[in-house]
Amino acid sequence: MLKIKDLRASIEEKQILKGINLEIKKGEVHAIMGPNGSGKSTLSNILAGHEAYEVTGGTVEFEGKDLLELEADERAREGIFLAFQYPVEIPGVNNATFLRTSLNEIRKHNGEPELSGKEFLDLIKVKMVEIGLPENLIQRSVNQGFSGGEKKRNEIFQMSVLNPKLALLDETDSGLDIDALKIVADGVNKFKNDDNAVLLVTHYQRLLNYIVPDFVHVLYQGKIIKTGGKELAYELEEKGYDWIINDFKEVESV
Amino acid sequence: MNKDKAEKSMINKWAENFRKFEAGLNGESKSEFHKSRQNAFKIFSKLGFPSIKNEEWKYTNLAKFHKHEFVHASEIEEVKYKKEDIEKYLFKGFDHHLLVFVNGKYSEKLSCVGETENNVFIGSLCDLLKEKPELLDNVYKGENNTSAITALNNAFTQDGAAIIVPDNKVIEKPVQVLYLNGTQNEKVHITPYNLIIAGKNSGVKILTSYNSTFENVYFTNAVTNINADENAHVDYYKIQNENENAFHVHQVNIEQQKSSNVSSYSLSFGSQLARNEIIATLNDEDIDCNLFGLYLGKDNQHIDNHTMIDHANPNCRSNELYKGILDDNAHGVFSGKVLVRQDAQKTDAYQSNKTILLSDTASIDTKPQLEIFADDVKCSHGATIGHLDEEAMFYLKTRGIPTELANSMLIRGFVDDVVQTIKIEELKDQINHIIFDHLHKIEI
């Protein structure tokens, strides 16, 4: 589904990604872990099409298409979704109107008929119960005055309504208490199936207790320095990052 | 020397217009009221039009205005409208009284004033002068002549909206005042003089809109006086939607007495050059004064908002929020002065001006001014100029929303806090529609 080859990127002349190689297949869950400043969020932002970053090398193929050629909104319509670490507040724009606009843009792109207000409401009612999103939030302005937990839940709610092929979750676990974390993880697990894929970006292992990854990658200084199965996450939890970083530095110096 | 000459010939041109205007008044030119007009014209001649050397007109150049020769509205043939012609200019969805002015002159045929109690007056200044001149005794002194253009209005005062609410009376239905301006061929000078007097413990909502029915150049030269007596509650909405060739200069004078509450909503869309000026004087204690504004400019429009809030007494609150969106080559000016005099202790005064520029060639000169001479006050002011929020734009695009639509959502988001202050619920969507229509953006 997604093939990243030697991806290099910078922001304001500062090199952040220094050659990322990663392949994600349908049905897989990948976790990207790493210390702060390793480039985790940059990777998810670049995949979603953030214009502040400059791609200086490499390729990204998504479902056979050159992803780097597409604008952020085109990528979203192709089936990429980014759940933000800090969702943006948009006063004056009703959450339901916003999401219906979004869903219908994607449906139009896929050659499906647009949903009427009624059809849309029927669809979201089920999803709202699933994610535990209070009903009044859907009639409020997008994310305005939402608590941190509500914003994250709203992201997962949007994901489940838009049903993307590839979901990028950027530190979705940060700032959540354990109950909220379980709800969010539950939402992701319900979304997950054999035809889509998930890329989780996280600093902590705890989310991976609830969303079990097929692969764990450690990102450090803009490179993936280790890849393993879910057991790698447990190891990181126990031993921290230093042992991998030290191994990596030894290899580099040889 | 040459400049003085040019100025003199300009004044002479207006003097000629004034003579013609007087000649058309017949017997009325002997009245007391007319003496105040003559006095105003003298003041105008003495002051002359402001130039950019005048600090208050530094960013608003009248050169383009002076290129035109205007004819006063009293000199031209009346433009005739049918009721169905004016439908599209009206704000709908709520019961209202309706006053219609065609080039500044009251049209009884097009207006529709519902039943009101004794001593309530909703009508035209002309009728008020004829029917109840005593109501005007303490109000009209023809002396709002601190600026030349206001003096020019006073000199040519012919008619305008007059709304008089006696003590202890609340007018439930908003009064909608529709100005239909311009003609097919003449460059008309339109001089509405509006009067809103709210007695003690009274309440009234007034919704005025300035519209064009033709594309020709004209000059709206308006003055509105609002007097809110003790504990009166006045909401004053002004929607300036003149055509993009028009010149619009309007001074609003607000006088507030003890515990009164006046909210002004100035929504400025149209005109080649618009100058919306508001002067609020807080004459006693416990007064609330709210000034809200939106200005939307495109093409080569010039929109100038000048406000002044004079806190002369203790324990008053003022709140001012002006927001603008400027596209193409539009130029905005915001000059907001809040004066807190020495006696005005315990004043709460907040002022904010925010502008979004949608193009590289749009610009704004903003000058928030806070002058405080009292020591126990809470005041703040600030101005920001920026572009649409890029992070928010990215967020919307990651949801598959195309750039154009995302722009509209962010525009809606930007104006929202001003739109939400509007207290006539049905008006909000209609204002929203004008915003998107004016900016040629997809409406959401």
Side-chain angles (χ1 to χ4, degrees), chain A residues 3 54 60 84 92 100 102 136 145 163 184 186 197 227 233 236 247 250:
Chain A
K3 281 184 197 153
E54 192 191 349
V60 182
F84 279 56
R100 192 174 142 220
S102 171
N136 67 335
N163 197 23
V184 163
D186 195 41
T227 293
L236 288 169
D247 283 358
E250 274 168 36

Side-chain angles (χ1 to χ4, degrees), chain B residues 119-147:
Chain B
N119 288 330
V120 170
F121 185 91
I122 300 173
S124 74
L125 187 71
C126 276
D127 290 342
L128 183 69
L129 285 168
K130 271 182 239 152
E131 292 167 25
K132 301 181 177 177
E134 71 282 2
L135 285 176
L136 269 177
D137 281 355
N138 297 317
V139 184
Y140 184 85
K141 299 185 190 85
E143 62 183 18
N144 297 303
N145 300 326
T146 47
S147 100

Side-chain angles (χ1 to χ4, degrees), chain A residues 45 48-50 71-73 76-77 81-82 84 88 90-93 98 101-102 105 143 155 158, chain B residues 389-392 394-403 405 408-410 412-414 416 420 444:
Chain A
N45 274 315
H50 199 301
E71 290 228 15
D73 54 325
R77 294 195 290 271
F81 178 88
L82 171 63
F84 279 56
V88 180
I90 310 192
V93 179
F98 160 69
T101 307
S102 171
E105 287 294 333
N143 292 323
E155 295 292 285
Q158 291 174 13
Chain B
D389 182 350
E390 281 174 20
E391 275 310 301
F394 177 56
Y395 186 73
L396 294 172
K397 288 180 79 172
T398 63
R399 300 305 184 251
I401 295 172
T403 310
L405 207 52
S408 290
M409 285 186 173
L410 295 181
R412 176 137 188 185
F414 178 72
D416 188 61
Q420 290 311 322
I444 56 131

Side-chain angles (χ1 to χ4, degrees), chain A:
Chain A
M1 176 181 282
L2 184 77
K3 281 184 197 153
I4 304 175
K5 279 187 192 152
D6 197 31
L7 181 64
R8 290 157 192 273
S10 62
I11 185 163
E12 288 162 4
E13 313 265 298
K14 191 170 177 267
Q15 197 73 25
I16 311 273
L17 300 186
K18 298 169 181 167
I20 301 274
N21 290 291
L22 179 65
E23 180 165 1
I24 298 176
K25 294 197 175 77
K26 273 185 187 176
E28 291 178 348
V29 176
H30 288 243
I32 302 248
M33 301 185 69
N36 286 332
S38 58
K40 302 188 300 287
S41 286
T42 301
L43 179 62
S44 53
N45 274 315
I46 285 178
L47 292 176
H50 199 301
E51 284 171 12
Y53 299 92
E54 192 191 349
V55 175
T56 52
T59 58
V60 182
E61 206 179 276
F62 177 68
E63 297 276 74
K65 284 185 180 141
D66 180 357
L67 194 68
L68 301 177
E69 283 291 301
L70 303 178
E71 290 228 15
D73 54 325
E74 295 172 309
R75 295 181 197 196
R77 294 195 290 271
E78 289 291 337
I80 287 183
F81 178 88
L82 171 63
F84 279 56
Q85 183 177 3
Y86 303 108
V88 180
E89 298 190 4
I90 310 192
V93 179
N94 172 300
N95 215 3
T97 311
F98 160 69
L99 191 55
R100 192 174 142 220
T101 307
S102 171
L103 180 62
N104 280 336
E105 287 294 333
I106 293 167
R107 289 179 66 95
K108 261 195 291 189
H109 179 77
N110 293 333
E112 293 163 348
E114 294 185 38
L115 293 188
S116 69
K118 167 88 173 61
E119 289 167 323
F120 175 74
L121 283 177
D122 289 346
L123 170 75
I124 62 169
K125 263 184 195 155
V126 182
K127 305 280 184 187
M128 281 168 69
V129 175
E130 268 179 27
I131 313 292
L133 196 71
E135 206 161 319
N136 67 335
L137 291 194
I138 196 71
Q139 292 308 338
R140 299 235 307 258
S141 294
V142 179
N143 292 323
Q144 199 184 23
F146 287 23
S147 69
E150 284 169 343
K151 282 182 184 170
K152 295 294 174 74
R153 248 183 272 178
N154 196 27
E155 295 292 285
I156 298 304
F157 166 65
Q158 291 174 13
M159 179 188 75
S160 75
V161 171
L162 300 177
N163 197 23
K165 290 175 189 153
L166 172 65
L168 312 167
L169 310 184
D170 186 6
E171 308 257 2
T172 299
D173 50 333
S174 70
L176 292 184
D177 63 27
I178 195 70
D179 292 330
L181 184 74
K182 279 182 188 166
I183 292 172
V184 163
D186 195 41
V188 176
N189 288 328
K190 278 186 184 138
F191 158 74
K192 188 69 217 51
N193 63 38
D194 290 344
D195 287 319
N196 60 24
V198 174
L199 178 66
L200 299 167
V201 169
T202 179
H203 186 72
Y204 301 104
Q205 177 271 341
R206 62 173 195 160
L207 179 65
L208 306 180
N209 289 333
Y210 303 98
I211 307 173
V212 182
D214 300 301
F215 298 94
V216 174
H217 311 276
V218 176
L219 191 64
Y220 177 67
Q221 291 188 348
K223 280 186 170 174
I224 290 175
I225 58 169
K226 193 170 181 68
T227 293
K230 64 182 175 205
E231 62 289 343
L232 178 56
Y234 298 119
E235 226 173 323
L236 288 169
E237 175 79 355
E238 230 170 79
K239 305 201 295 204
Y241 290 107
D242 286 352
W243 61 281
I244 302 178
I245 292 169
N246 289 336
D247 283 358
F248 168 70
K249 280 181 178 160
E250 274 168 36
V251 176
E252 286 263 285
S253 59
V254 166

Side-chain angles (χ1 to χ4, degrees), chain B residues 15-40:
Chain B
E16 180 57 33
N17 282 3
F18 188 63
R19 271 191 295 278
K20 283 187 197 157
F21 172 68
E22 281 187 304
L25 291 172
N26 298 325
E28 210 204 300
S29 60
K30 300 276 184 296
S31 69
E32 279 298 309
F33 188 78
H34 188 64
K35 279 183 191 151
S36 69
R37 287 189 187 119
Q38 288 169 323
N39 188 38

Side-chain angles (χ1 to χ4, degrees), chain B residues 181-429:
Chain B
N181 295 334
T183 70
Q184 184 83 53
N185 300 310
E186 283 103 348
K187 296 176 181 175
V188 59
H189 174 211
I190 305 157
T191 52
Y193 180 93
N194 309 298
L195 200 55
I196 298 160
I197 300 173
K200 293 186 176 70
N201 308 310
S202 71
V204 63
K205 301 186 259 302
I206 294 132
L207 170 56
T208 63
S209 68
Y210 291 81
N211 296 280
S212 311
T213 49
F214 302 95
E215 288 308 308
N216 201 8
V217 178
Y218 60 86
F219 171 32
T220 297
N221 177 198
V223 171
T224 298
N225 283 350
I226 300 173
N227 287 22
D229 207 339
E230 224 176 287
N231 205 32
H233 202 121
V234 178
D235 289 343
Y236 173 74
Y237 298 85
K238 171 189 162 185
I239 292 111
Q240 188 273 108
N241 212 357
E242 316 253 30
N243 76 36
E244 275 185 47
N245 294 314
F247 295 90
H248 176 101
V249 181
H250 183 193
Q251 183 171 325
V252 179
N253 302 299
I254 301 171
E255 295 276 344
Q256 289 190 247
Q257 304 306 326
K258 192 173 182 170
S259 302
S260 63
N261 183 319
V262 174
S263 296
S264 156
Y265 305 78
S266 175
L267 314 174
S268 199
F269 301 100
S271 301
Q272 161 180 183
L273 185 153
R275 164 94 166 193
N276 309 300
E277 193 161 334
I278 300 178
I279 300 170
T281 310
L282 283 45
N283 290 311
D284 207 321
E285 296 197 35
D286 190 34
I287 290 168
D288 283 285
C289 175
N290 302 303
L291 304 185
F292 302 113
L294 271 185
Y295 45 99
L296 285 286
K298 64 170 193 283
D299 302 330
N300 292 307
Q301 280 186 281
H302 178 98
I303 307 176
D304 177 347
N305 285 297
H306 253 71
T307 67
M308 154 81 172
I309 302 174
D310 186 350
H311 281 269
N313 291 285
N315 299 310
C316 295
R317 297 158 294 275
S318 70
N319 182 18
E320 177 168 16
L321 175 63
Y322 268 67
K323 282 186 147 188
I325 299 177
L326 302 172
D327 202 355
D328 305 324
N329 298 311
H331 182 214
V333 179
F334 175 81
S335 167
K337 188 165 173 178
V338 178
L339 175 61
V340 182
R341 293 182 195 261
Q342 204 168 0
D343 290 340
Q345 300 295 357
K346 305 278 180 197
T347 289
D348 274 358
Y350 300 99
Q351 184 194 66
S352 167
N353 170 232
K354 292 181 179 167
T355 307
I356 292 272
L357 304 176
L358 293 181
S359 77
D360 293 338
T361 44
S363 61
I364 170 107
D365 289 293
T366 176
K367 202 168 133 195
Q369 304 158 75
L370 197 50
E371 286 180 24
I372 306 175
F373 299 96
D375 50 21
D376 182 16
V377 299
K378 273 192 257 169
C379 298
S380 74
H381 71 156
T384 63
I385 303 166
H387 299 278
L388 290 175
D389 182 350
E390 281 174 20
E391 275 310 301
M393 179 59 104
F394 177 56
Y395 186 73
L396 294 172
K397 288 180 79 172
T398 63
R399 300 305 184 251
I401 295 172
T403 310
E404 281 295 297
L405 207 52
N407 268 325
S408 290
M409 285 186 173
L410 295 181
I411 287 170
R412 176 137 188 185
F414 178 72
V415 299
D416 188 61
D417 50 356
V418 177
V419 173
Q420 290 311 322
T421 60
I422 293 174
K423 282 178 240 159
I424 302 173
E425 205 53 43
E426 296 79 2
L427 197 57
K428 290 180 183 173
D429 273 352

